Amino acid sequence: MEAYKQEFIEFMVESQVLKFGEFTLKSGRKSPFFMNAGAYVTGTQLRRLGEYYAKAIHDNYGLDFDVLFGPAYKGIPLSVATTMAISELYGVDIRYCSNRKEVKDHGDTGILLGSKIKDGDRVVIIEDVTTSGKSIEETFPIIQAQGDVQIKGLMVSLNRMERGKGTKSALEEIQETYGFPANAIVTMEEVIEYLYNRPCQGKIVIDHTMKAAIDAYYAEYGAK
């Protein structure tokens, strides 16, 4: 596993973004782990987060694209932090773009924030985590409506590796439905492999008991 992935796993735990215990998800599923990207709140955290996304985007899609699109609301700071990190790490200027929830009819009008998207642009979409693919259902037509645009892929921070609407993971469903690749900085499989019985922030967060709970969860909800 790449060093930046190992660092990112520890970073999620350190930032209390990835927690282990008993949680009820929006879907109603009882999960032994929970991720809340809203817990990244400091300048240092956002700078580091942008760097991890930049490295993962570089590894999966290269940097031969024009626009990084972050769906409102959580995607807005992600797209800003990551375009800054791409500039710092690789010396490449990527434009950032996000959508508004409501169309603005005065001043900087329209549904988009940041750079406009135009014919010929190549776009990478950035999100925190995708469990159902609902945000892509909203985002995809907005991007397509801007012109003849190529979507190179989607990057999220964590692939939960559980079923979406059917038997496959949400990322696999997105890839099949929309025809572009969907990847994550790390998968839950990598998280479990790295953290199982390994001290992180001074304690073991995945011990035998937690590993058994996670295994039981995936036996019921894991993607095929």
Side-chain angles (χ1 to χ4, degrees):
M1 189 189 310
E2 294 88 337
Y4 77 85
K5 291 190 175 189
Q6 297 176 5
E7 291 174 11
F8 181 62
I9 292 168
E10 296 212 14
F11 174 61
M12 284 194 290
V13 176
E14 170 194 330
S15 303
Q16 298 189 334
V17 166
L18 181 61
K19 297 183 177 182
F20 297 89
E22 294 182 7
F23 306 93
T24 301
L25 305 180
K26 193 183 295 184
S27 62
R29 295 175 183 175
K30 306 287 186 182
S31 174
F33 59 91
F34 180 70
M35 183 194 167
N36 173 25
Y40 296 120
V41 293
T42 71
T44 299
Q45 287 173 331
L46 289 172
R47 177 184 56 76
R48 289 181 63 188
L49 181 61
E51 290 174 355
Y52 294 127
Y53 267 109
K55 290 175 181 177
I57 289 170
H58 173 269
D59 283 3
N60 285 275
Y61 304 126
L63 298 176
D64 192 21
F65 66 99
D66 307 291
V67 178
L68 188 61
F69 187 93
Y73 289 102
K74 287 183 179 177
I76 297 173
L78 293 180
S79 60
V80 173
T82 304
T83 51
M84 292 173 69
I86 289 172
S87 174
E88 288 287 326
L89 293 174
Y90 304 107
V92 176
D93 257 345
I94 303 294
R95 290 146 43 210
Y96 100 90
C97 180
S98 296
N99 64 296
R100 294 184 171 97
K101 289 290 188 179
E102 298 175 353
V103 178
K104 189 178 178 185
D105 60 4
H106 61 280
D108 182 19
T109 60
I111 199 169
L112 299 182
L113 287 168
S115 171
K116 302 301 182 188
I117 299 175
K118 58 185 188 299
D119 283 349
D121 277 343
R122 298 155 300 174
V123 178
V124 171
I125 303 171
I126 185 171
E127 284 206 280
D128 57 346
V129 64
T130 297
T131 51
S132 68
K134 184 179 179 183
S135 63
I136 295 298
E137 289 179 15
E138 300 170 355
T139 298
F140 184 75
I142 291 172
I143 296 174
Q144 292 293 94
Q146 308 309 310
D148 183 13
V149 176
Q150 176 193 358
I151 298 178
K152 294 197 68 173
L154 166 68
M155 181 60 66
V156 303
S157 60
L158 177 68
N159 180 357
R160 288 184 59 100
M161 300 181 67
E162 60 191 81
R163 296 199 308 269
K165 296 175 181 175
T167 60
K168 296 182 179 180
S169 74
L171 293 186
E172 289 175 308
E173 288 175 353
I174 287 168
Q175 188 160 327
E176 287 190 356
T177 301
Y178 299 102
F180 55 78
N183 290 285
I185 303 175
V186 292
T187 66
M188 270 309 295
E189 183 177 24
E190 290 170 324
V191 170
I192 296 161
E193 174 193 334
Y194 183 73
L195 290 179
Y196 182 44
N197 278 339
R198 180 197 299 265
C200 180
Q201 302 302 307
K203 63 180 180 179
I204 293 176
V205 293
I206 301 183
D207 56 13
H208 295 300
T209 303
M210 181 53 63
K211 177 69 160 53
I214 293 171
D215 288 345
Y217 182 77
Y218 278 114
E220 185 169 1
Y221 297 116
K224 304 299 182 187

